[in-house]
């Protein structure tokens, strides 16, 4: 398990140019480029972890406008022309360069194989290289780096084509069926910050993969079954379904749960009834099931309130809770036992897998049936694998679940593989969710020490957002401020979850998250709103800014280079399953826009063609920001 503490919402600009960002996107090295991360960490007191695993499936990330994606095949062709067909498909090792836009490092790695000095290899490649339409200069430097500078003409053309592309350069990938298991709160329990984070990360992955052309099947694996339901059902029967106590399930489920628990602990007759009720529930007794159904229904009201407050795409149609698998659990166990994969140990049916050992090498089992005959969490999860493979025909299955459940999932998958339920061509991924910490660096709690209530967190964020917007924009209509405050508050919460790697721990700091400066959701929303205001001042709609984009100034060049990375960044998020790469990209884009706007007058440009080009560039930036935020699940208010 990799867990590293990072803080979020860090104020101030990062000492990084755009080149660094896309380099580490391509190298799959985490948003902080290796060469500056030390410095950056010093400035901000951050602790970063090792780089995430290198990104596979890079062929799926090709975007028609990303310079590296366009240059790579050209260099590949030159390598082939220079050294023969056996060198087809060699990675040109394109990286950002200090002295140019990109450098190809391939000559250094090829030298040994072709038996020549790297510089001579580079010369041969360059002699065969045709990039006259793309690059204004190709130079060999140092031991054999090929430095490439893109021509203003190509950049202008690429930006103009991107503006004419409704997908903004985001590739449409070969369609896969991708069930995503995320959110998964428990009935009659408060959702906690961990549930919030899987909900937000899972939802962003669902949006992104759908946008890339995949068929996403949302699987909200709610905890809606198990022994506590006897006590919960009895309590609901005692108080009556229309009582205030029952309404607690919709607003404060933990209290309902606690009251049931207190009765269970103090009233033996109630405890007896509760135990009897579990037996009835498991036997499928119709009246019991009816009460259970209403209990789950009341909880759904609570879940849906949170989902709607958070702008999450989950609906009742996506519920695929634990109970859904009840009728398959016996078959799961029988099949495992018949085939000798599971054995009885101390009365329980267990799977012992090679490689899973605890202290002193003692084997750790996956228990599929307890000694009392009950099924466990693992049994249900085995059924989820079977269902998703056999019924949903999944190509790739994502489990967006807390990091501590990694062992559990791996045991489930290995068991499923042993049983032949999980074929090699179906990819399963645990998108590990790290803990959210309070300012004391412990699991987030309220001041009274209870787990934080999610709705309370949302309300608090919206209150802080309202304060921020009241201070920043007292001139805005009261009605507008009231409308955008929740968009900012929720955007801030979601961005905090999405801007750090999903498997790291981070400290929740509301004031900082809601700030309009720094790497925050509101900063990005504000960048987009500012572009809207340019168009309001121009008296035109952004859509109407369709003039050709002409790259002349350095700030325009930087902005265009940033814009052209959008498609490959989104594709990378889909491959690596790391929304923080999109967040980091958008942050850098917003900064690139900010310097452009500072250095290049738009409405006051002397020349009409320059003004129109800059308006088109602003409109394109707005579309990318808005689309990018939407993939993160964050709204872009037009004014703020
Ligand atoms: N309900 C579980 C919890 O609150 C999460 C379930 C995750 N999904 C799964 N297939 N195990 O921890």
């Amino acid at each position: 398990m990799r867990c590293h503490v990072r803080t979020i919402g860090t104020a101030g600009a990062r000492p990084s140019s755009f080149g660094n960002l896309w380099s580490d996107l391509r190298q799959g090295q985490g948003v902080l480029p290796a060469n500056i991360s030390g410095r950056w960490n010093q400035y901000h007191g951050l602790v970063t972890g090792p780089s995430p695993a290198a990104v596979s499936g890079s062929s799926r990330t090709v975007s028609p406008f990303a310079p590296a994606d366009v240059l790579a095949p050209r260099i590949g062709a030159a390598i082939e022309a220079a050294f023969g067909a056996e060198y087809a498909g060699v990675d040109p090792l394109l990286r950002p360069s200090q002295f140019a836009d990109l450098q190809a490092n391939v000559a250094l790695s090829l030298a040994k194989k072709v038996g020549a000095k790297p510089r001579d290899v580079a010369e041969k490649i360059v002699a065969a290289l045709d990039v006259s339409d793309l690059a204004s200069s190709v130079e060999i430097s140092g031991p054999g780096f090929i430095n490439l500078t893109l021509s203003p003409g190509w950049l202008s053309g690429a930006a103009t084509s991107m503006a004419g592309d409704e997908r903004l350069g985001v590739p449409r990938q070969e369609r896969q069926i991708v069930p995503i298991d995320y959110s998964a709160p428990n009935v009659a329990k408060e959702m906690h910050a961990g549930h919030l984070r899987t909900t937000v990360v899972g939802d962003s992955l669902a949006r992104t993969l759908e946008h890339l052309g995949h068929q996403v099947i949302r699987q909200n694996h709610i905890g809606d079954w198990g022994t506590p339901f006897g006590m919960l059902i009895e309590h609901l029967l005692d108080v009556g379904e229309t009582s205030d106590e029952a309404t607690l399930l919709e607003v404060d489920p933990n209290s309902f749960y606690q009251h049931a628990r207190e009765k269970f602990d103090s009233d033996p007759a109630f405890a007896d009834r509760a135990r009897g009720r579990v037996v009835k529930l498991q036997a499928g007794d119709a009246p019991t099931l009816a009460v259970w159904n209403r209990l789950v229904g009341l909880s759904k009201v609570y879940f849906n309130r949170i989902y709607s407050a958070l702008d999450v795409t989950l609906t009742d149609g996506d519920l695929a809770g634990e109970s859904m698998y009840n009728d398959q659990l016996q078959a799961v166990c029988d099949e495992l036992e018949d085939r000798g994969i599971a054995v009885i140990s101390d009365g329980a049916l267990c799977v012992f897998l090679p490689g899973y050992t605890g202290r002193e090498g003692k084997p750790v089992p996956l228990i599929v049936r307890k000694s009392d005959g009950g099924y466990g969490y693992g049994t249900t999860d085995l059924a989820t694998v079977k269902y998703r493979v056999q019924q949903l025909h999944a190509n790739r299955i994502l489990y967006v679940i807390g990091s501590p459940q990694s062992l559990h999932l791996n045991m489930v998958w290995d068991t499923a593989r042993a049983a032949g339920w999980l074929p090699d061509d179906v990819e399963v991924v645990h998108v590990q969710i790290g803990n959210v910490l309070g300012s004391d660096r412990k699991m987030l709690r309220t001041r009274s020490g209870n787990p934080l209530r999610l709705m309370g967190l949302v309300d608090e964020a919206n209150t802080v957002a309202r304060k921020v917007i009241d201070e920043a924009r007292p001139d805005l209509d009261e009605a507008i401020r009231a409308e955008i405050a929740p968009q900012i508050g929720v955007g801030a919460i979601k961005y905090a979850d999405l801007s750090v790697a999903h498997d790291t721990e981070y400290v929740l700091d509301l004031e900082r998250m809601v700030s309009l400066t720094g790497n925050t959701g509101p900063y990005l929303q504000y960048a987009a709103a500012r572009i809207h205001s340019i168009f309001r001042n121009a008296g035109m709609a952004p859509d109407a800014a369709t003039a050709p984009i002409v790259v002349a100034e350095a700030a325009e060049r930087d902005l265009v280079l940033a814009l052209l990375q959008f498609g490959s960044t989104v594709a990378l998020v889909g491959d690596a399953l790391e929304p923080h790469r999109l967040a980091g990209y958008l942050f850098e884009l917003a900064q690139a826009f900010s310097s452009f706007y500072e250095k290049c007058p738009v409405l006051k440009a002397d020349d009409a063609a320059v003004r129109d080009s800059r308006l088109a560039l602003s409109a394109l930036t707005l579309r990318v920001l808005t689309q990018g935020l939407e993939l993160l699940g964050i709204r872009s208010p037009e004014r703020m």
Side-chain angles (χ1 to χ4, degrees):
M1 182 174 67
R2 288 188 285 122
C3 271
H4 318 289
V5 176
R6 294 188 193 182
T7 45
I8 45 141
T10 312
R14 262 165 53 173
S16 152
S17 72
F18 207 79
N20 288 324
L21 171 75
W22 79 256
S23 83
D24 61 56
L25 289 180
R26 296 213 60 83
Q27 293 169 13
Q29 293 214 331
V31 160
L32 296 178
N35 59 333
I36 61 136
S37 60
R39 190 152 43 107
W40 164 243
N41 291 342
Q42 259 172 29
Y43 290 154
H44 301 284
L46 302 188
V47 184
T48 51
S51 319
V55 175
S56 61
S58 58
S59 63
R60 304 198 305 159
T61 69
V62 171
S63 159
F65 309 117
D69 289 347
V70 177
L71 277 167
R74 301 285 189 96
I75 299 174
I79 295 172
E80 237 188 291
F83 300 106
E86 72 242 61
Y87 291 94
V90 168
D91 183 349
L93 301 175
L94 277 162
R95 304 285 179 263
S97 167
Q98 249 185 300
F99 308 106
D101 291 324
L102 304 120
Q103 64 186 50
N105 297 346
V106 64
L108 285 81
S109 65
L110 269 189
K112 237 201 191 137
K113 273 184 230 143
V114 303
K117 279 196 230 122
R119 242 194 122 89
D120 297 342
V121 175
E123 255 153 38
K124 276 199 166 166
I125 296 173
V126 170
L129 184 63
D130 178 14
V131 286
S132 52
D133 55 329
L134 281 171
S136 56
S137 106
V138 180
E139 279 170 358
I140 299 173
S141 81
F145 303 120
I146 303 170
N147 289 349
L148 298 137
T149 303
L150 297 159
S151 71
W154 183 80
L155 288 170
S156 305
T160 306
S161 307
M162 179 174 167
D165 175 13
E166 55 156 23
R167 293 190 54 81
L168 297 165
V170 176
R172 209 184 280 282
Q173 298 178 334
E174 203 184 309
R175 192 183 191 77
Q176 288 192 321
I177 298 175
V178 190
I180 309 186
D181 184 317
Y182 70 101
S183 193
N186 300 315
V187 164
K189 290 252 187 75
E190 190 74 50
M191 281 170 85
H192 54 66
H195 287 122
L196 170 68
R197 204 166 173 199
T198 130
T199 305
V200 169
V201 170
D203 210 47
S204 172
L205 290 174
R207 290 166 187 256
T208 305
L209 289 166
E210 259 165 5
H211 190 59
L212 285 164
H214 301 293
Q215 185 189 338
V216 168
I217 308 177
R218 293 164 175 77
Q219 296 282 286
N220 192 357
H221 191 72
I222 58 170
D224 59 357
W225 202 255
T227 38
F229 281 87
M231 142 193 128
L232 292 167
I233 289 171
E234 279 304 311
H235 185 50
L236 186 58
L237 282 172
D238 283 0
V239 297
E241 284 163 28
T242 52
S243 62
D244 288 349
E245 177 72 14
T247 315
L248 280 178
L249 285 164
E250 298 178 4
V251 290
D252 183 9
N254 270 6
S255 297
F256 182 91
Y257 190 98
Q258 264 152 27
H259 297 158
R261 176 90 229 179
E262 278 157 21
K263 252 184 1 189
F264 185 88
D265 290 339
S266 63
D267 177 349
F270 178 81
D272 274 351
R273 273 194 282 141
R275 282 191 209 97
R277 191 56 77 178
V278 179
V279 176
K280 281 189 176 161
L281 181 66
Q282 274 162 354
D285 170 60
T288 300
L289 279 176
V291 189
W292 168 80
N293 244 314
R294 285 193 287 276
L295 187 74
V296 175
L298 290 164
S299 279
K300 272 193 236 172
V301 174
Y302 165 74
F303 302 152
N304 286 335
R305 270 179 58 238
I306 303 236
Y307 294 151
S308 112
L310 284 173
D311 244 321
V312 162
T313 60
L314 286 167
T315 66
D316 282 355
D318 305 315
L319 289 171
E322 295 177 8
S323 66
M324 185 178 114
Y325 300 97
N326 284 348
D327 60 359
Q328 294 153 47
L329 303 181
Q330 189 183 336
V332 164
C333 290
D334 289 350
E335 207 176 324
L336 291 174
E337 194 173 8
D338 290 349
R339 298 183 36 205
I341 297 166
V343 293
I344 302 283
S345 166
D346 288 337
L349 186 63
C350 302
V351 180
F352 292 94
L353 294 157
Y356 293 93
T357 44
R359 251 181 279 142
E360 288 156 23
K362 235 184 122 203
V364 177
L366 178 72
I367 300 176
V368 290
R369 198 181 54 224
K370 295 179 234 164
S371 49
D372 66 3
Y375 304 110
Y377 189 52
T379 330
T380 322
D381 259 327
L382 281 167
T384 66
V385 177
K386 264 186 105 169
Y387 173 75
R388 291 166 192 177
V389 171
Q390 294 170 3
Q391 309 294 316
L392 300 181
H393 308 289
N395 302 108
R396 194 182 193 199
I397 312 174
L398 313 186
Y399 288 81
V400 188
I401 308 184
S403 306
Q405 296 195 34
S406 169
L407 177 68
H408 160 79
L409 275 182
N410 279 296
M411 291 182 90
V412 165
W413 295 340
D414 280 349
T415 303
R417 282 190 191 99
W421 299 331
L422 180 55
D424 288 345
D425 61 352
V426 177
E427 187 191 6
V428 284
V429 187
H430 179 191
V431 179
Q432 301 201 13
I433 298 298
N435 293 329
V436 182
L437 309 177
S439 50
D440 56 1
R441 305 226 148 202
K442 297 207 184 100
M443 290 285 270
L444 198 63
R445 313 229 148 221
T446 56
R447 268 176 227 114
S448 59
N450 295 317
L452 190 80
R453 303 214 2 227
L454 205 46
M455 214 56 208
L457 176 69
V458 174
D459 290 342
E460 208 177 319
N462 292 347
T463 307
V464 178
R466 180 62 202 258
K467 232 172 27 201
V468 167
I469 201 71
D470 283 348
E471 269 162 34
R473 295 299 309 275
D475 55 310
L476 275 185
D477 270 4
E478 147 76 34
I480 293 182
R481 278 180 281 145
E483 185 192 317
I484 63 179
Q487 299 184 22
I488 297 171
V490 167
I493 293 184
K494 290 176 114 175
Y495 191 80
D497 270 347
L498 293 165
S499 57
V500 290
H502 55 69
D503 59 346
T504 54
E505 297 187 322
Y506 78 86
V507 175
L508 188 121
D509 177 348
L510 264 188
E511 300 283 334
R512 215 150 35 139
M513 282 157 53
V514 183
S515 163
L516 294 177
T517 55
N519 187 7
T520 67
Y523 170 75
L524 294 180
Q525 291 174 316
Y526 180 69
R530 195 155 68 147
I531 302 177
H532 276 292
S533 90
I534 297 172
F535 283 96
R536 275 194 299 274
N537 292 337
M540 72 189 283
D543 289 354
T546 55
I549 293 171
V550 180
V551 172
E553 302 295 324
E556 291 172 324
R557 199 172 194 287
D558 289 345
L559 178 57
V560 164
L561 273 170
L563 287 165
L564 296 178
Q565 307 301 327
F566 181 59
S568 50
T569 304
V570 173
L572 184 71
V573 171
D575 280 352
L577 306 172
E578 293 178 335
H580 75 273
R581 290 166 182 278
L582 178 58
Y585 166 84
L586 294 173
F587 180 52
E588 300 239 359
L589 176 66
Q591 288 179 309
F593 183 81
S594 201
S595 0
F596 156 79
Y597 194 57
E598 213 171 274
K599 289 174 194 134
C600 304
V602 177
L603 297 178
K604 294 211 172 91
D606 316 324
D607 180 293
V610 173
R611 177 181 189 265
D612 290 348
S613 160
R614 289 180 182 166
L615 279 169
L617 199 47
S618 305
L620 179 58
T621 307
L622 176 60
R623 279 169 66 202
V624 171
L625 280 173
T626 309
Q627 172 77 75
L629 284 171
E630 194 184 313
L631 295 178
L632 295 177
I634 296 173
R635 293 199 187 224
S636 313
E638 291 192 10
R639 292 168 198 268
M640 68 182 269

